[in-house]
Amino acid sequence: MATKKPKVSYFCMEYGLESDFNIYSGGLGILAGDHLKTAKDQGESIIGLGILWKQGYHKQEIGKDGRPRNAYPIYEYDFLKETGIKVKVKIRQRDVYCKVWKVDCFNNVDLYLLDTDLPENGGGDSWITGQLYGWFGEERIAQEMVLGIGGVKALRKLDIETDVYHFNEGHAVFAGIELIREKMEEEGMSYEEAVEATQEEIVFTTHTPIKQGNEEHPHHRLRYMGANQNLTTEQMVALGGAPFNMTVAALKLARNANGVAQLHKETAREMWKHVDKAAPQIEGITNGVHRPTWVDERMVNAFKDGSTEKVWNSHQDVKRDLIDYVEEQNGVTLDEDKLLIGFARRAAPYKRSNLIFTKPEVIDKYLEDGKIQIIFSGKAHPLDDTGKEIVERLVEMTEEYPESVVFIEDYDMTTGKMLTRGCDVWLNNPRRPKEASGTSGMKAAMNGVLNVSILDGWWPEACRHGENGWAIGTEPKTAQDFTGTYDERVEKLDEYDLKNLYDVLLDEVLPTYYEQQDKWVKMMTESHDDTYEKFSAKRMLEHYYELMYAPAE
Ligand SMILES: *Cc1c(COP(=O)(O)O)cnc(C)c1O
């Protein structure tokens, strides 16, 4: 029996389609972009809904004083097509008009973007779609109302049929409230009937294993904004608790939910086990990456060819491109014959960008003689002073080791691409278990850039220690495995991970790189072979159809 594939409408705050199309901030957006690109490649019917950000995510440059500073240019794009459609969302009792654009580039991915920057919205409301993650409180809620409520209304006006509404992260949850409202007001259902029918249509992907990352809003504010539509506070509390937690509400409104790696599935199940009447089981669908975007063609061909020389020479070509890029950006000339480590992450304390510098008495001599070279990149959130300090410390390190440590400002997709194909090693050392998945390591692995990583996120699913990359600590621990106050536990975990990092780097990575080039190339090949299919967005999409989009039995 031929079954028809469900039609999916995919909601996300951000999309990373191309470097200069500044409507993304990081991993979530890159994933969403890769999801849509892959759907297009495979001829699947997935429509994306998002926001046309006027200023996008902040640009971050390093001032002469070594501090990150932010800039907010206004963007205009010439590849957006008018749909002729506008929808109205009532926010703070005012009608806010949202113009609907169709993105007309990147092989014509099916993406529609909402935009409030219109004269009829007046000064205030025209800025709702101003900055991605720039604001909190009322402004964030207004943005989420545009995405969720405006998104559903746009689908109706565009006459796009939808079987499954996929919320990629909790930001989209007001779309669920809109679906309930439609059924009550337009189809005459009771609240209970409407909730039940809506649950049949929604699937939800959670991405945030850190409690504070799961957004909450007080009910009085949701009422003031009009985000509850006509639902009562009791009904809203029943969905999202008090305060209203976007993830909890999404879990309750969804028929299926998933985390983004197998380890993250376990973490998410534990984290949300108290949520009554949530989607039955949180599934695990490990992220994947869009290979044509992220894997260098020269490496794909080299691995097909399979000879040691071809793989090594192609890698050196790609590495030289990166070295040229760094020279253009920073004026520093790195050495193509010395080990080059890449580390690019949002500047957040748990990612521990500085970990490798902790003990100068151990690491100093390798950085002094350039046996280890490191390129860093990553932005701090504009309102996050701790994150900015992390960037400042990294910039200080570039002054300490001007020939072997580099910081590339304003991390974006171009820098991400250059680094994940041109380095020798991709380093990742977050505190476990806080990385939901991570996709930069997958990009690296497919390009033959060897991962040296804590066994967190996706890496436990791929790592064969010493064969296709390395684990930092083959017996990984979390702060819970130590004793003392919370701070003491974290300190002990950091010490444990640091020792393991130095051990693997100095005793295994360096000798292999400098003394056993054949083995290194063998590992590059294994790295590519183990990941090219398994962590492709194509495989990921198949799992979404199987576990999430397929109609319930
Ligand atoms: C791939 C990518 C990410 C996601 O990487 P993580 O592994 O989650 O850190 C973020 N930003 C950019 C620019 C990327 O290219």
Side-chain angles (χ1 to χ4, degrees):
M1 195 175 69
T3 50
K4 228 173 89 212
K5 276 202 167 169
K7 293 187 191 318
V8 179
S9 292
Y10 184 93
F11 288 69
C12 192
M13 280 290 253
E14 49 168 312
Y15 290 89
L17 290 168
E18 194 175 80
S19 206
D20 292 336
F21 190 11
N22 189 0
I23 59 166
Y24 67 96
S25 90
L28 182 71
I30 305 287
L31 181 77
D34 282 7
H35 201 95
L36 292 191
K37 288 177 183 176
T38 307
K40 195 76 200 178
D41 294 348
Q42 301 298 115
E44 306 289 12
S45 165
I46 302 180
I47 302 285
L49 289 139
I51 288 178
L52 179 63
W53 300 104
K54 188 179 166 83
Q55 295 184 319
Y57 196 57
H58 67 277
K59 291 188 76 63
Q60 189 159 80
E61 278 146 21
I62 307 299
K64 290 225 170 2
D65 56 1
R67 280 168 174 275
R69 56 181 77 186
N70 304 306
Y72 300 92
I74 287 175
Y75 294 84
E76 311 239 335
Y77 304 104
D78 58 10
F79 47 76
L80 297 173
K81 230 170 33 185
E82 305 260 351
T83 60
I85 281 173
K86 269 184 209 170
V87 297
K88 233 173 23 184
V89 181
K90 206 170 217 65
I91 301 176
R92 284 176 279 233
Q93 296 299 318
R94 292 196 292 270
D95 281 332
V96 175
Y97 293 86
C98 311
K99 181 167 174 166
V100 183
W101 298 91
K102 170 84 174 68
V103 173
D104 190 16
C105 56
F106 320 110
N107 203 15
N108 204 17
V109 293
D110 288 312
L111 176 60
Y112 293 91
L113 298 174
L114 294 131
D115 173 14
T116 64
D117 186 18
L118 304 170
E120 56 264 51
N121 285 331
D125 292 337
S126 68
W127 274 96
I128 291 174
T129 54
Q131 290 178 11
L132 171 59
Y133 306 137
W135 306 309
F136 300 101
E138 285 184 23
E139 297 319 307
R140 175 64 71 84
I141 295 169
Q143 298 179 332
E144 290 167 337
M145 290 173 72
V146 167
L147 175 68
I149 302 169
V152 171
K153 290 184 181 225
L155 289 172
R156 301 296 177 256
K157 271 210 168 167
L158 291 161
D159 208 13
I160 293 173
E161 208 187 304
T162 302
D163 301 313
V164 176
Y165 298 84
H166 184 171
F167 298 172
N168 193 37
E169 201 40 300
H171 307 120
V173 83
F174 300 137
I177 310 295
E178 171 66 8
L179 291 171
I180 294 172
R181 184 203 65 76
E182 277 185 334
K183 292 180 179 63
M184 291 171 71
E185 289 180 9
E186 290 160 29
E187 296 171 41
M189 289 188 192
S190 70
Y191 167 74
E192 288 75 18
E193 288 167 341
V195 169
E196 213 169 286
T198 298
Q199 282 164 336
E200 292 299 305
E201 303 173 318
I202 295 174
V203 305
F204 168 54
T205 304
T206 177
H207 290 264
T208 318
I210 299 166
K211 196 110 203 133
Q212 304 83 302
N214 290 275
E215 223 178 284
E216 292 184 338
H217 300 292
H219 284 278
H220 67 82
R221 192 172 290 153
L222 294 182
R223 275 197 313 275
Y224 169 68
M225 298 302 290
N228 57 316
Q229 309 266 37
N230 289 333
L231 298 197
T232 65
T233 298
E234 288 72 46
Q235 289 166 339
M236 289 295 281
V237 171
L239 290 174
F244 185 86
N245 184 298
M246 303 289 275
T247 308
V248 169
L251 284 168
K252 289 203 183 193
L253 281 173
R255 69 167 199 225
N256 294 324
N258 74 297
V260 289
Q262 302 313 308
L263 180 62
H264 180 230
K265 170 184 78 180
E266 304 301 332
T267 316
R269 281 184 181 178
E270 179 62 27
M271 201 171 159
W272 303 112
K273 66 181 177 199
H274 62 281
V275 179
D276 194 28
K277 300 210 176 87
Q281 274 287 29
I282 296 177
E283 296 282 356
I285 300 181
T286 305
N287 285 164
V289 299
H290 182 248
R291 291 176 298 198
T293 300
W294 298 108
V295 190
D296 196 290
E297 202 57 42
R298 288 168 288 182
M299 294 313 297
V300 176
N301 293 332
F303 289 121
K304 266 194 203 135
D305 176 276
S307 77
T308 304
E309 293 72 47
K310 180 94 186 189
V311 170
W312 181 256
N313 292 337
S314 302
H315 172 68
Q316 288 300 100
D317 285 346
V318 179
K319 184 174 177 180
R320 272 191 295 277
D321 286 352
L322 170 62
I323 289 173
D324 291 346
Y325 179 72
V326 169
E327 199 168 87
E328 266 167 44
Q329 301 272 316
N330 293 42
V332 176
T333 311
L334 296 168
D335 186 339
E336 67 175 83
D337 295 319
K338 301 234 170 100
L339 183 79
L340 183 52
I341 298 177
F343 187 110
R345 296 263 138 46
R346 182 165 54 84
Y350 79 89
K351 308 242 186 196
R352 298 188 299 194
S353 315
N354 294 293
L355 189 69
I356 193 169
F357 298 120
T358 312
K359 290 194 175 162
E361 66 273 26
V362 176
I363 202 72
D364 180 77
K365 64 170 187 279
Y366 298 96
L367 295 165
E368 280 293 344
D369 68 14
K371 269 230 153 96
I372 294 178
Q373 312 176 97
I374 316 179
I375 306 177
F376 289 96
S377 193
K379 296 183 195 179
H381 189 280
L383 303 176
D384 174 13
D385 288 334
T386 316
K388 287 188 178 176
E389 258 169 51
I390 293 171
V391 173
E392 272 187 84
R393 296 286 95 77
L394 291 173
V395 172
E396 279 169 22
M397 288 299 152
T398 66
E399 285 155 14
E400 182 116 15
Y401 307 104
E403 322 240 291
S404 45
V405 180
V406 176
F407 184 88
I408 300 182
E409 63 186 7
D410 202 37
Y411 183 39
D412 61 9
M413 286 176 73
T414 302
T415 299
K417 260 185 221 184
M418 296 302 294
L419 289 177
T420 54
R421 48 184 76 181
C423 290
D424 299 303
V425 160
W426 194 245
L427 178 64
N428 183 33
N429 47 230
R431 286 191 195 111
R432 275 177 106 245
K434 292 200 171 161
E435 195 81 296
S437 166
T439 52
S440 58
M442 301 173 185
K443 304 168 193 168
M446 290 180 187
N447 280 298
V449 174
L450 299 183
N451 278 272
V452 173
S453 172
I454 295 274
L455 285 167
D456 199 11
W458 74 288
W459 187 227
E461 292 168 50
C463 176
R464 290 188 294 119
H465 180 74
E467 293 178 51
N468 64 2
W470 287 275
I472 299 172
T474 46
E475 287 174 46
K477 291 193 194 295
T478 71
Q480 300 310 317
D481 297 320
F482 299 92
T483 54
T485 64
Y486 177 74
D487 284 348
E488 286 164 357
R489 288 165 188 239
V490 168
E491 200 182 312
K492 286 177 189 170
L493 175 66
D494 287 357
E495 256 171 52
Y496 178 80
D497 288 340
L498 179 66
K499 178 176 186 311
N500 287 326
L501 169 62
Y502 284 157
D503 284 353
V504 74
L505 196 58
L506 306 179
D507 300 343
E508 301 190 51
V509 178
L510 287 185
T512 312
Y513 185 81
Y514 287 109
E515 292 153 34
Q516 293 176 271
Q517 203 184 86
D518 279 1
K519 181 175 173 203
W520 189 274
V521 173
K522 173 111 192 338
M523 288 184 72
M524 289 175 68
T525 308
E526 302 274 318
S527 166
H528 171 85
D529 291 354
D530 286 350
T531 55
Y532 195 65
E533 295 300 328
K534 195 170 166 195
F535 298 97
S536 68
K538 181 167 172 285
R539 185 278 309 152
M540 171 179 77
L541 207 58
E542 284 161 13
H543 280 167
Y544 273 99
Y545 274 99
E546 199 179 302
L547 296 170
M548 301 283 282
Y549 300 159
E553 292 294 314

